[in-house]
Amino acid sequence: MASKARNIFALMHDISRAACGCPAHSQAFSGRITTSALQRLTTASTELPDYAFEMACSNIRFGAGVTQEVGMDFINLGAKHVAVVTDKTVSDLPIMEAVLSSLEKHHVNFEVYDKVRVEPTDGSFQDAINFARENPFDAFLAVGGGSAIDTCKTANLYACHTEAEFLDFVNAPIGKGLPITKQLKPLIAIPTTAGTGSETTGVAIFDYTPLKAKTGIAHRSLRPLLGIVDPLHTKHMPNQVAAYSGFDVLCHALESYTAIPYHQRTPRPQNPINRPAYQGSNPISDIWSTHALRILNKYFKRAVYDPEDLEARSQMHLASVFAGVGFGNAGVHLCHGMSYPISGMVKKHKASQYQVDHPLVPHGLSVVITAPAVFEFTAPSNPERHLEAAEMLGADVTNAKREDAGRILGDILKKYMTDMKIENGISEFGYTTEDIPGLVKGTIPQKRVTVLAPRPQTEEDLSMLFEKSMTVY
């Protein structure tokens, strides 16, 4: 510490000698420094809250039929060998036909990987990584929902870091959380669901099977270069898929809008390169998140119950992008943190309209199922924001009292859930009160998101929230 202090003193002395003398620019230093001042200088900035936020997102191209341009995009990039990452279901849809037709028309050399697992695991990620490492790809294309896009991001990352072990970039405390030091290959994402917003974010989520809990990799360099948002693809979503993915949009927007403000988040990074993607609510993310909530109020139900309502499905596709930009820069909190063990520990439940051969609680469902309890819990931290969110979702907040904010927001969420015929609590996934300690244990490692909740939570608080979510209605 003394050596570090001497170095700081010497540096300040050199600065003072070289500094401009005018009042506007001078950094003149007298050479006298007290012990207390020296201690303040050498105190790590990580003890301070942040004072800044950054805005980052992918380029987005939106329009019905815009998928036909993807072949030209890769030609413009000079790509010689493209990895196309998708899943078995999407590979059999007209979406894939449109993608491959564009690539072939423009003579783009490509190989298809269609083994993406819905709700990826460390094992399925590793399989995609092996595919990417075994082939000299110079660009990547993800076609599908969040599972396909996140798998593609991860394959690109580890193909560019051939020496890295799987846990090197995984978020701490499960992984090492190492910084990404190499430039990744260009990645274009074509989302086929209106939910994850993964085409805008630097996040890839998966189930870590040894702990039966979700975690992920988060870094701005994971962001796709371009998201091609073609609303024609959403017509192929079954009603249940549209509902669950729509609730993911809703929770992205709600959680990012109610997250702790960016200037209250700690630690302050010592280097701006280490500022996390999830920074807390901020004036820019607020704009995107609140606009997504207003779209949900107008179009969500229509989009779920009428696949031919292209206006509604197009608007929900846009809402997914808007909410993705919002939470991609602000972050999510308790609903997502608690959702990870809910989906990771599932034993038998299978969503009926998902073509999978393994137990599955779809991500949007695992997130929204705790939302009424979560927002009733967090509302006292900022009743005004919770009431504003409820109003944007259609609740009447005329003459509402601040102390009723949580109940009002919870009630409007329950209305959306009943309208969409969502399962009545985690008990319908096979969970009982005996599973609550395990669910709490699975939530604790998710501090990357839970610390962004506007109200701190104890293990007893988490147990209470899971208990309240056993039955929602």
Side-chain angles (χ1 to χ4, degrees):
M1 178 64 75
S3 175
K4 183 177 181 181
R6 286 193 296 272
N7 291 338
I8 293 173
F9 184 91
L11 176 61
M12 294 184 72
H13 180 68
D14 291 341
I15 290 172
S16 71
R17 294 176 62 187
C20 168
C22 74
H25 300 100
S26 176
Q27 301 183 60
F29 172 56
S30 68
R32 297 186 298 274
I33 185 167
T34 66
T35 301
S36 60
L38 184 58
Q39 289 174 340
R40 288 196 299 273
L41 283 169
T42 55
T43 297
S45 64
T46 55
E47 296 179 7
L48 302 172
D50 211 337
Y51 63 97
F53 67 91
E54 296 183 22
M55 176 66 188
C57 69
S58 304
N59 297 308
I60 296 295
R61 183 185 301 147
F62 177 87
V66 75
T67 298
Q68 65 185 325
E69 297 182 357
V70 69
M72 287 181 279
D73 288 318
F74 283 112
I75 291 298
N76 294 338
L77 287 169
K80 305 297 184 184
H81 195 194
V82 178
V84 181
V85 178
T86 189
D87 61 55
K88 292 288 187 183
T89 300
V90 172
S91 66
D92 292 332
L93 293 176
I95 303 162
M96 201 62 178
E97 183 179 343
V99 169
L100 299 185
S101 175
S102 180
L103 296 177
E104 291 167 353
K105 177 181 178 180
H106 296 283
H107 308 291
V108 176
N109 183 32
F110 64 88
E111 290 186 49
V112 176
Y113 177 87
D114 63 0
K115 299 178 183 178
V116 167
R117 187 182 193 270
V118 178
E119 302 298 330
T121 65
D122 50 323
S124 71
F125 267 9
Q126 187 63 61
D127 190 71
I129 291 167
N130 294 340
F131 169 78
R133 282 178 167 175
E134 291 165 3
N135 296 278
F137 297 118
D138 57 3
F140 288 78
L141 173 61
V143 185
S147 297
I149 299 173
D150 287 3
T151 299
C152 193
K153 291 175 182 176
T154 307
N156 186 12
L157 169 64
Y158 286 90
C160 294
H161 292 78
T162 55
E163 75 292 345
E165 297 181 357
F166 182 74
L167 289 178
D168 282 355
F169 301 116
V170 174
N171 298 325
I174 292 176
K176 297 179 181 178
L178 297 181
I180 295 173
T181 57
K182 296 180 181 178
Q183 184 172 352
L184 306 191
K185 304 297 184 183
L187 189 159
I188 296 176
I190 303 179
T192 59
T193 61
T196 67
S198 188
E199 67 277 4
T200 73
T201 71
V203 179
I205 302 298
F206 66 97
D207 285 313
Y208 186 57
T209 51
L211 296 180
K212 295 183 178 180
K214 267 187 165 57
T215 185
I217 304 168
H219 196 278
R220 290 183 180 86
S221 62
L222 286 179
R223 292 193 321 273
L225 173 67
L226 172 67
I228 296 179
V229 182
D230 188 338
L232 293 180
H233 300 331
T234 63
K235 295 174 67 176
H236 301 285
M237 282 194 299
N239 293 355
Q240 190 183 72
V241 177
Y244 294 157
S245 58
F247 277 116
D248 197 19
V249 177
L250 190 156
C251 288
H252 284 157
L254 268 182
E255 290 174 69
S256 58
Y257 188 60
T258 58
I260 188 173
Y262 74 93
H263 52 77
Q264 294 180 15
R265 181 190 55 76
T266 56
R268 178 186 298 180
Q270 293 180 308
N271 185 318
I273 198 173
N274 296 322
R275 180 167 284 113
Y278 287 3
Q279 304 165 92
S281 61
N282 59 76
I284 295 179
S285 67
D286 287 350
I287 293 172
W288 295 90
S289 299
T290 55
H291 191 54
L293 291 174
R294 293 186 181 98
I295 293 176
L296 282 154
N297 180 28
K298 188 173 182 179
Y299 294 104
F300 189 10
K301 190 173 181 178
R302 281 173 52 185
V304 168
Y305 285 105
D306 186 1
E308 298 302 317
D309 188 341
L310 187 58
E311 179 189 21
R313 292 224 162 177
S314 296
Q315 289 296 318
M316 285 299 296
H317 217 18
L318 275 176
S320 177
V321 174
F322 296 154
V325 175
F327 92 85
N329 288 278
V332 289
H333 55 80
L334 274 179
C335 294
H336 273 74
M338 294 172 66
S339 79
Y340 297 151
I342 289 174
S343 57
M345 291 171 57
V346 64
K347 301 171 185 176
K348 296 181 179 179
H349 182 81
K350 289 185 181 181
S352 61
Q353 292 185 1
Y354 286 72
Q355 299 178 25
V356 295
D357 58 1
H358 55 271
L360 173 69
V361 179
H363 176 62
L365 174 59
S366 69
V367 168
V368 77
I369 207 72
T370 63
V374 163
F375 289 106
E376 186 173 351
F377 172 76
T378 59
S381 66
N382 194 329
E384 291 80 11
R385 284 214 164 201
H386 287 68
L387 285 172
E388 290 167 4
E391 184 176 28
M392 285 182 275
L393 288 171
D396 182 2
V397 299
T398 306
N399 300 321
K401 297 178 180 179
R402 297 173 78 255
E403 57 266 29
D404 293 331
R407 177 187 59 78
I408 292 170
L409 181 52
D411 285 347
I412 193 67
L413 288 171
K414 290 176 185 178
K415 184 179 186 304
Y416 275 81
M417 295 167 75
T418 53
D419 285 348
M420 311 296 178
K421 300 180 173 59
I422 296 300
E423 286 87 335
N424 186 14
I426 63 175
S427 60
E428 293 203 16
F429 308 153
Y431 291 115
T432 69
T433 53
E434 295 180 356
D435 295 306
I436 289 179
L439 292 168
V440 171
K441 183 179 179 181
T443 304
I444 292 171
Q446 313 303 331
K447 292 188 182 298
R448 181 180 65 91
V449 293
T450 58
V451 295
L452 293 172
R455 180 179 174 184
Q457 63 283 164
T458 63
E459 290 188 27
E460 290 73 21
D461 292 328
L462 293 173
S463 295
M464 176 272 295
L465 293 172
F466 280 117
E467 176 68 35
K468 283 191 171 184
S469 301
M470 280 288 169
T471 303
V472 177
Y473 313 126

